[in-house]
Amino acid sequence: MNTPINLNKARKERTRASRKARADENAVQFGQTKATKDEQKARAEKDARLLDGHKRET
C-alpha cells in the first residue's frame, strides 16, 4: 500500500516550481551580465567626474 500524500503540499510545490522556472527565464531574458553592470557603473562615475569638473565655483 502506498503512503498518502498531502495534496495541498503537492499543489504548493508545483506552484513554487513553476514560479522558479518563470523567474529563471526572466533572469535570462532581462538580466544583465556583470560586465555590462561594471561598464554602466564606470560610465556613470566618469560622467559624474566630468560634470563636477565643469561646475562653476562661485
Side-chain angles (χ1 to χ4, degrees), residues 24-55:
D24 291 341
E25 290 172 7
N26 285 341
V28 169
Q29 185 176 1
F30 298 110
Q32 297 177 348
T33 63
K34 183 172 179 154
T36 306
K37 289 179 189 177
D38 289 343
E39 179 183 353
Q40 288 178 348
K41 183 179 176 184
R43 187 173 291 157
E45 289 172 355
K46 180 181 177 186
D47 290 344
R49 282 194 317 268
L50 289 174
L51 183 62
D52 288 341
H54 288 290
K55 286 185 179 177

